[in-house]
Structures are given as C-alpha cells and as structure tokens.
Amino acid sequence: MATTTAAPAAFRAALRTGSAEPPAAGVPDWLWRLATAVHGELPPTAADAWADRLHGLLGPAGVPAGLAAVHLWQADTVLPLLAGTADTAAPAELHRAAAQGAPAEPDTWRSALDPLLLRLYDAAYDRASAYAEGHTGARDYALANGYAAAEADAYGHEYARLSSEANARAFAEAHAEALGPALAAAYAADDAQGYAATFPGAHLKAVVRATAATAETPRAQAQFLADGLLTALGAARP
C-alpha cells in the first residue's frame, strides 16, 4: 500500500499528540495505533528519532498489505520479550507460518493465544497500586469502626492481599476473553482492519508493563519493541 507522507515535523507532531488519524494517506489503522502507542512509551528525544525513522520507511514502497509485518513483529520481537512471562512457543510458530502466508484456523489461534493473554495481563496488572489503595481504604474503614491502629493496619493488609489477587485474575480473564476471539479471527483471516479493532496500542503498553521488572533500563522494552516494529515492516515487503 503506497503512502503519501506528511512533512517530518507534521508527522512527529501528529504522533506527539496521539492524533486519531495519521497525517498521511495509506498508513493503515493498525500501524498508526501502534505508532502512537510506541511514541508515547519512549522518552521524547528517542520518540522523535524513532518517528523520523518510521517516516523515512513510509513512502513509495508503502506498508505491506495484510498482517505479515505484525506476524514478524510478534514472532521476532514481542514474543521473545515475553518469553520469561509465558510459554510463547506455540504462538511464535503460528505467527511465523502466518507471515509466510499460511495462517491457522481461529480455533488453533485461540488455543495458543488464550494462555499467553492470561499470563500477559496477569503480569501487567498494577498490583502495587491496587494493594496500596485496598490497604488504605480497608484500614480507614476499620479505624472508623473502632479498631485499634495495629488491628486496623493488619485488617487493611489482609484485605489488600485478597482483593488485589482477585482483581488481577479478573483483569486477566476479562482481557483474554475479549481479545482472544478478536485476535484469532483477525489473524486467521489476515484481516488488518480487524486487528486494528483489537486495540494494538493498549496491548503494546501491557507488554511494556508486564516486562518492566526485567528491563535493564527504564523503557528499554519500549525501544526494543519500537525498533522491532520497523524491522518487521521492512522485512515484510516483497
């Protein structure tokens, strides 16, 4: 798909503001949604440098049709990053086959994606904030109802422990149930618009959050994902 790109400054500005529409013709929705998410995860200087690289990659050659670039990005960048969080072997194999023009059926995608999505969103859940909020609320409730300070604090910790774990499970299950069928259908049909509707930018942010503990430096994963996306776009071209 050939693209007509805007000037570099306008392209950077659109990414900085998270514009809903790209300032260029021929940039597919899925790529723009990923690009705005990537840009937002990078430090400003790195974000603008990456935007310039993406801008240079778009042009007469355009964006590869279908989801070949997505499959390469998943197999070569996203899944290796998640290898310490979940079993990625089955989805990686499916993505590699799909990149070669042999996508699996939806049920096969579901079988591979559901466990991965559960692990991903469980790891991405912000347990620390949920725990702190639960502890504070439960402790204050206990204090208001006559508990001694030490008892109220212990009550708050027990409530926070139980509620944050239950909420993490519910969070992961809800995302897996919502995204699993949609991703499976899009991948099986090589449906770029269907993939765009699965909120790929939010999925990228979940990957960054889920792998934050293993990062060598702040936002290292975001740079790795950003660079891998450009590599995949180039490799998917005929």
Side-chain angles (χ1 to χ4, degrees):
M1 180 187 298
T3 56
T4 303
T5 55
F11 193 79
R12 288 194 300 270
L15 286 171
R16 286 190 198 119
T17 60
S19 172
E21 299 294 334
V27 178
D29 288 345
W30 68 263
L31 177 56
W32 186 248
R33 292 174 190 183
L34 273 178
T36 55
V38 166
H39 194 275
E41 291 293 320
L42 295 171
T45 301
D48 283 347
W50 182 82
D52 287 343
R53 290 167 62 201
L54 176 60
H55 181 272
L57 191 62
L58 302 175
V63 180
L67 295 175
V70 172
H71 292 302
L72 290 173
W73 181 59
Q74 288 287 332
D76 296 337
T77 303
V78 179
L79 293 177
L81 194 61
L82 291 174
T85 302
D87 184 357
T88 60
E93 183 178 347
L94 293 180
H95 279 298
R96 291 192 186 285
Q100 297 298 316
E105 294 298 317
D107 287 348
T108 303
W109 279 108
R110 283 292 305 276
S111 295
L113 290 173
D114 283 355
L116 175 67
L117 292 170
L118 281 170
R119 292 286 296 163
L120 167 63
Y121 281 95
D122 180 82
Y125 186 72
D126 188 357
R127 281 176 170 79
S129 296
Y131 188 99
E133 183 177 348
H135 171 262
T136 299
R139 181 202 62 201
D140 292 351
Y141 172 83
L143 288 171
N145 283 275
Y147 281 67
E151 294 175 324
D153 188 60
Y155 175 78
H157 280 297
E158 180 64 8
Y159 176 85
R161 181 182 67 81
L162 294 172
S163 65
S164 61
E165 286 304 315
N167 289 338
R169 286 194 300 273
F171 176 82
E173 289 169 0
H175 279 81
E177 289 175 8
L179 288 176
L183 281 171
Y187 289 158
D190 196 33
D191 180 1
Q193 200 58 41
Y195 174 68
T198 66
F199 304 97
H203 187 82
L204 177 140
K205 292 178 182 180
V207 172
V208 171
R209 179 176 289 179
T211 57
T214 62
E216 295 181 4
T217 59
R219 300 191 181 182
Q221 321 93 300
Q223 188 67 62
F224 182 72
L225 291 163
D227 293 342
L229 180 58
L230 298 186
T231 299
L233 286 167
R237 286 176 172 163

